[in-house]
Structure formats: structure tokens, C-alpha cells
Amino acid sequence: MRHAFGFVLGVLLTPALVYGSAWGYVQAGQSFDGTGQAITDRTRIYGAFALLAAVGLVMGVIIVARWASPLVSLVPAFALLGLSAWFLADPGRALDLPGQVPPAGDLDSGLRMLLGSGVYAMMGFALLMPAWAPRRWDSGRDEDAAGFDF
């Protein structure tokens, strides 16, 4: 049951991490002038940084939580690594995908930039690491304390 819940949570967290990081990236990029070295919209950049911090916090909780099934991190890791591998194999088709998935607009450029710059691959490898810990796969119950089965 724990792994089924972990799988569902991983499926739900995957688009949240992808879209949250892409939208935060776009909003942060639109709120400052790189050549003039000035912030042009403080409210927007604070919101973008808060969203990016929330994405980082969720990733951190997923990575270090002992109670969570490894599928919570494994599902988004495989999705991000698969998307990154697809980009390396066929960049044109992989970069066309954000235009086919709603919502359209500025978010598409954020998805393309984070995919093309390798940020999604980095996030995928970070989320892949907790699945290697054997402790994450067991149920966490101590069978010896439950009874004296010899």
C-alpha cells in the first residue's frame, strides 16, 4: 500500500516540479535586466524565487524523507531523465513537446530552457539517489518485535 501511494504521489509531483521550476525560471528572467544589472519588478522576482524555493524544498523533502516510498522520488526521476535522454537523442522533437502540452505561452520557453540547459537532468539524478537506499524499500516495521517466529 505504501508503494502504491508513493507511485500516485510521484505521478502527481512530476508535473508540479517541472511546471513550477519552469514558471519560476521564466518569471525570474522577466523581472530583471541583465545588461543594466537591476531588478525591474521586485514583486515578480520575489514570487519567482519563492516558487523556486518551494520546488527545492519539495525536492529536498522527497530526497530525505525516510517514511516515503522510493517511488515518490523514482517516478519524477525517471520522467526527468527520460525527457533529458530524449532531448539528447532527438532535440527537435523533444523541444517541440512543450508547445503541444497546455498551457502555452511563456511557460513553453521555460520548459525548453531548463530541458536544454540540463537542469531537468540534474533534478532527475538528484531524485534518483534516494531509491538506491535499501532502507527506503522495506516497510519500516520490525518483524522481530511483532512476534517470535522461528
Side-chain angles (χ1 to χ4, degrees), residues 61-138:
V61 167
I62 291 170
I63 290 170
V64 301
R66 289 185 178 173
W67 54 265
S69 165
L71 295 176
V72 175
S73 66
L74 204 57
V75 170
F78 282 160
L80 291 167
L81 291 174
L83 188 59
S84 298
W86 185 27
F87 169 74
L88 292 175
D90 190 3
R93 288 188 56 198
L95 291 175
D96 188 43
L97 181 65
Q100 299 173 5
V101 178
D106 290 338
L107 188 59
D108 291 348
S109 64
L111 291 166
R112 289 182 180 113
M113 288 301 297
L114 293 179
L115 177 61
S117 63
V119 172
Y120 286 152
M122 177 186 64
M123 289 170 60
F125 278 115
L127 289 168
L128 183 66
M129 291 299 106
W132 290 9
R135 177 178 231 165
R136 289 293 265 312
W137 289 98
D138 68 0

Side-chain angles (χ1 to χ4, degrees), residues 138-143:
D138 68 0
S139 65
R141 293 184 223 152
D142 189 10
E143 285 82 15

Side-chain angles (χ1 to χ4, degrees), residues 8-22 55 75-76 79 111 120:
V8 171
L9 189 57
V11 168
L12 294 174
L13 283 175
T14 300
L17 294 174
V18 169
Y19 282 112
S21 59
V55 168
V75 170
L111 291 166
Y120 286 152

Side-chain angles (χ1 to χ4, degrees), residues 30-79:
Q30 292 176 350
S31 62
F32 75 95
D33 179 19
T35 57
Q37 297 180 350
I39 295 174
T40 57
D41 188 350
R42 289 201 177 276
T43 305
R44 180 183 278 186
I45 202 162
Y46 291 155
F49 275 44
L51 179 61
L52 290 170
V55 168
L57 180 65
V58 168
M59 280 187 55
V61 167
I62 291 170
I63 290 170
V64 301
R66 289 185 178 173
W67 54 265
S69 165
L71 295 176
V72 175
S73 66
L74 204 57
V75 170
F78 282 160

